[in-house]
Amino acid sequence: MNDIGALNALKALAQESRLAAFRLLVQAGERGMAVGDLREAMAIPPATLTAHLNILRAANLVLDQREGRVIRLRANYLQMSSLQAFLSENCCQGESCEIKSQTPIPQSMLK
């Protein structure tokens, strides 16, 4: 992954509904979810979901496949892994990333 690909993926995930949709697809695993099931789980209008999915597709974070009358969505795990690798490629200046102590994250930041 390059800088532009990482920026596109991060930009696509930097919105509450798109992040929620992507997380639901990651949780669904390889079987994915039908678009209708995702819409029901998110409780958002179909047109809104379509707009969000188009942004996730453009960032190559979501793949879809037609199964008869149903469109099945899946998280693109390869793209997700590429983003994780890109973000951590220079971690710890090339040394082992064994973290001995870590400052706790304040609860206010976890919401």
Side-chain angles (χ1 to χ4, degrees):
M1 176 170 290
N2 59 25
D3 289 357
I4 299 300
L7 286 170
N8 286 336
L10 292 169
K11 191 170 28 174
L13 294 172
Q15 196 279 339
E16 186 176 0
S17 294
R18 288 192 296 271
L19 180 60
F22 184 72
R23 292 188 72 201
L24 284 169
L25 292 172
V26 168
Q27 290 169 15
E30 285 297 320
R31 64 182 159 75
M33 292 179 81
V35 172
D37 294 340
L38 180 62
R39 190 197 62 74
E40 284 180 26
M42 294 186 64
I44 61 175
T48 302
L49 178 60
T50 297
H52 288 312
L53 289 174
N54 285 337
I55 292 168
L56 291 169
R57 283 183 189 110
N60 200 25
L61 290 166
V62 171
L63 305 171
D64 53 36
Q65 180 179 7
R66 182 167 289 281
E67 296 175 353
R69 296 177 56 182
V70 174
I71 296 175
R72 183 157 303 277
L73 301 164
R74 291 177 180 84
N76 185 344
Y77 293 102
L78 181 59
Q79 183 77 340
M80 182 177 75
S81 295
S82 294
L83 178 60
Q84 289 172 325
F86 176 85
L87 292 173
S88 60
E89 90 182 329
N90 295 319
C91 181
C92 303
Q93 300 175 4
E95 302 286 324
S96 172
C97 287
E98 186 176 322
I99 299 173
K100 294 183 173 107
S101 66
Q102 193 171 15
T103 305
I105 299 171
Q107 289 296 316
S108 61
M109 292 180 71
L110 298 175
K111 295 180 182 182

